[in-house]
Amino acid sequence: MEQIKEKSEFANIIKKNQQKKKNIFIAKIVSICLVFILVIIYFALPLSHVSNIHVSGLVYYTENNIRELSGLKKYDSLYFISSKEIKKNLEKTYFIEEDSVNVKINPFGLFISLKEIAPVFVYNNAIYLSNKKALDANIFTNENELIGEFAKVNSQKCTEILSDPESSIIPKSEYSILSSTLLRLSEYDRQLISYVDYDPTNYLYNFYYLIKDNTYLKLSVFNNVILIDAENLAFALTSDKVDSYKDMISNKDLKDQFVPYSETLNNEECTIYGEKLICRKNDDGTLSYQGKIYNLDSEE
């Protein structure tokens, strides 16, 4: 009887082992099927498509614009596109800086960083871009709307720089800080600026704001790379700040500070309310800027 019992137990052990192996095999099959299903779902989701695009460095273009300029379609798979081809297509676009494009593709999307070039100001009848270069007039005839139409639309938003060959010549060294300043402003704030000129003798930027017919507020800003940068310049030119300057003009207690005088703007005699509100050069040769005194002969 004991022998029969031992055989029965042995048979049960074998049966259990066989069932265990069968269960493991089924689990493997189910796991493989689940993985296969998840892969199919992943490739079906937008997560794996070019529609899942993230772009940094944009000024005027949108992420959809960049996808189109890259030569990609919304439902292209991330695994069948070339980062080199994307980089090549974007850098041959007129308004994206060469060697500024970086492309990364991973399971979570398409990531692009770039430096966009934009029309910023008009000076001596030429439209200047944020990279100091003048806009090629032929660009307006480009059939690609994201190039030709882009140039037309955004050139209309440019700030006009007064061009007086004798007194208002802007050296190219100033183009970058002027472009950076204007691009830091919102489109609304930028459009409030009627004119800009530059006084190379006193290192002054002059920003003109129309108050009423032929009457302007003139903000003179001392420019020195050590003392002032584009961020500070832009902050002083926002609509909120300009409104506060206009309030100062109408303040009776400050009327002696804002004495109107005549000035010619674009061959037209205008009334100007002007003061070096942002920065003031003192009689002793020092510079007062945001409550601090600077010696113009040193970095302090």
Side-chain angles (χ1 to χ4, degrees):
M1 292 292 294
E2 291 181 1
Q3 188 176 4
I4 293 174
K5 186 177 179 180
E6 289 177 358
K7 287 183 178 179
S8 177
E9 289 177 351
F10 182 71
N12 287 335
I13 291 172
I14 292 176
K15 188 175 181 180
K16 287 181 180 179
N17 286 339
Q18 288 176 340
Q19 186 62 43
K20 186 176 181 180
K21 289 181 179 179
K22 185 177 180 181
N23 291 340
I24 292 173
F25 178 75
I26 292 173
K28 286 182 178 179
I29 294 297
V30 171
S31 297
I32 292 172
C33 290
L34 284 174
V35 170
F36 183 71
I37 291 171
L38 288 174
V39 169
I40 292 176
I41 292 174
Y42 169 76
F43 279 100
L45 290 173
L47 185 64
S48 68
H49 297 157
V50 172
S51 57
N52 188 27
I53 183 174
H54 310 272
V55 187
S56 60
L58 297 178
V59 179
Y60 292 113
Y61 282 133
T62 65
E63 291 183 345
N64 286 337
N65 293 155
I66 296 302
R67 185 181 64 244
E68 187 175 336
L69 289 168
S70 301
L72 302 172
K73 295 180 181 179
K74 190 173 183 179
Y75 294 104
D76 283 346
S77 171
L78 293 173
Y79 298 91
F80 296 97
I81 59 177
S82 167
S83 58
K84 290 183 178 179
E85 191 68 21
I86 293 171
K87 181 178 172 68
K88 178 183 176 182
N89 287 340
L90 288 177
E91 289 188 344
K92 72 180 182 182
T93 301
Y94 197 91
F95 297 106
I96 295 176
E97 189 76 74
E98 292 183 12
D99 299 324
S100 74
V101 179
N102 289 302
V103 181
K104 291 183 179 180
I105 303 171
N106 63 40
F108 301 102
L110 172 61
F111 297 83
I112 300 174
S113 63
L114 51 83
K115 184 176 181 181
E116 190 175 331
I117 305 168
V120 186
F121 60 85
V122 180
Y123 178 59
N124 279 333
N125 298 319
I127 298 172
Y128 283 88
L129 304 171
S130 52
N131 64 348
K132 305 182 187 180
K133 296 180 181 178
L135 188 65
D136 185 350
N138 293 328
I139 203 71
F140 295 108
T141 62
N142 194 298
E143 294 181 357
N144 188 328
E145 289 187 1
L146 295 179
I147 299 175
E149 194 61 29
F150 176 97
K152 292 177 186 176
V153 171
N154 289 293
S155 294
Q156 294 171 358
K157 303 174 183 177
C158 289
T159 302
E160 184 174 353
I161 311 299
L162 296 177
S163 53
D164 182 347
E166 295 182 0
S167 62
S168 184
I169 298 174
I170 300 181
K172 288 190 175 181
S173 59
E174 297 293 327
Y175 288 8
S176 289
I177 192 167
L178 181 56
S179 291
S180 298
T181 298
L182 293 172
L183 287 175
R184 283 177 181 270
L185 295 172
S186 69
E187 186 175 325
Y188 173 76
D189 288 344
R190 200 159 57 246
Q191 289 179 344
L192 291 179
I193 302 173
S194 300
Y195 303 107
V196 181
D197 74 3
Y198 183 73
D199 180 349
T201 303
N202 298 301
Y203 304 102
L204 286 173
Y205 275 120
N206 298 307
F207 295 86
Y208 294 84
Y209 296 82
L210 183 65
I211 299 176
K212 56 184 179 181
D213 291 344
N214 280 357
T215 303
Y216 292 84
L217 165 67
K218 177 181 179 180
L219 301 180
S220 299
V221 184
F222 181 90
N223 176 45
N224 182 297
V225 292
I226 298 171
L227 305 178
I228 197 167
D229 57 23
E231 184 175 3
N232 287 327
L233 270 172
F235 174 75
L237 302 173
T238 59
S239 54
D240 289 342
K241 297 293 287 184
V242 172
D243 285 342
S244 70
Y245 304 145
K246 290 179 180 178
D247 289 340
M248 293 174 70
I249 292 175
S250 59
N251 189 323
K252 294 180 180 179
D253 295 333
L254 298 173
K255 65 179 182 180
D256 292 336
Q257 184 174 344
F258 290 92
V259 178
Y261 62 92
S262 294
E263 187 173 315
T264 302
L265 295 178
N266 275 358
N267 299 317
E268 187 176 9
E269 195 74 15
C270 301
T271 300
I272 304 294
Y273 284 90
E275 175 62 287
K276 298 176 184 177
L277 295 174
I278 320 304
C279 222
R280 186 195 299 265
K281 188 174 181 181
N282 303 317
D283 293 336
D284 61 0
T286 59
L287 182 74
S288 298
Y289 174 61
Q290 291 187 338
K292 297 181 180 179
I293 304 297
Y294 295 90
N295 189 325
L296 296 180
D297 296 326
S298 69
E299 296 185 9
E300 295 299 324

